[in-house]
Amino acid sequence: MRVNRILLSVSLVVVALVLQVSVLARLHLPGAVPDLMLLVVLGLALVYGHVGGALVGFGAGLLADLAPPADHAAGRYALVLCLIGYLAGLAKPENGRLKSATVPMFVVVAAAIGSTLLYAGVGALVGDTAARHVGLGGLLFTAALYDLLLAPFVVPGIMALARRAENDPLAETGSAAQTTDISSGWLSSGTGLRIGGQRNGLKVKAARARMARAGRIKGVKRL
């Protein structure tokens, strides 16, 4: 991974972990806890691809495994987020753009359910049966619901930061063709509206109107 990728990933993961432990974990919501770490991994994986997503997921999971008040075996969450990051990175399109938020929303729901199942499955292998007592069905539903509600406020911003840190041309807003990438598609709620293209069209019309007005003024002066 490049240096700018590493610096950005580490910064975002650390901030997400602090918020996860100090804020989200203390909300005492029914069922699962909103997984901010998972959303950060997903946002970066959708920009960096499957290899970058796997590396970020492993690092984020390992940090969560070692940070207090973790009460599970080290490496358990690292394995889960590594697999989730790899699979989420496969959803990155070849051209880096998607016209709607359908794919990212599906990725969030699938990742929330998949990470819960993987975490419970790995826990069962090492003798942790806490998921059975809480109720796996309730955990799956609440994990998907909470992460999906939180995702629009996290994933687009993470993706925008990742693009700008890479000096990706898709992060520029100078042309209409660059306004339908994944993050802008999410923010437009899957409608595929070319908001940037509309703005550019208005700018062109305004410029033409000024040129026409200047031409009329010059014609009057000549008369």
Side-chain angles (χ1 to χ4, degrees), residues 48-186:
Y48 296 158
H50 58 283
V51 176
L55 293 175
V56 172
F58 179 80
L62 186 60
L63 184 62
D65 287 331
L66 300 177
D71 56 354
H72 55 267
R76 180 176 171 184
Y77 200 45
L79 174 62
V80 172
L81 285 188
C82 180
L83 293 176
I84 294 297
Y86 179 86
L87 295 176
L90 295 176
K92 176 188 175 183
E94 293 295 332
N95 59 0
R97 294 194 299 266
L98 286 175
K99 294 184 178 180
S100 72
T102 303
V103 172
M105 290 173 66
F106 175 78
V107 169
V108 170
V109 174
I113 296 175
S115 62
T116 304
L117 289 174
L118 285 172
Y119 189 81
V122 175
L125 293 177
V126 297
D128 185 358
T129 59
R132 297 180 182 177
H133 302 292
V134 177
L136 185 57
L139 284 177
L140 293 175
F141 175 76
T142 53
L145 178 62
Y146 296 155
D147 290 348
L148 187 60
L149 292 176
L150 185 61
F153 304 99
V154 177
V155 177
I158 297 297
M159 296 172 64
L161 287 174
R163 290 196 186 285
R164 292 187 180 278
E166 293 230 318
N167 295 322
D168 194 325
L170 293 176
E172 302 296 330
T173 57
S175 65
Q178 296 169 352
T179 61
T180 55
D181 61 354
I182 303 173
S183 56
S184 63
W186 191 299

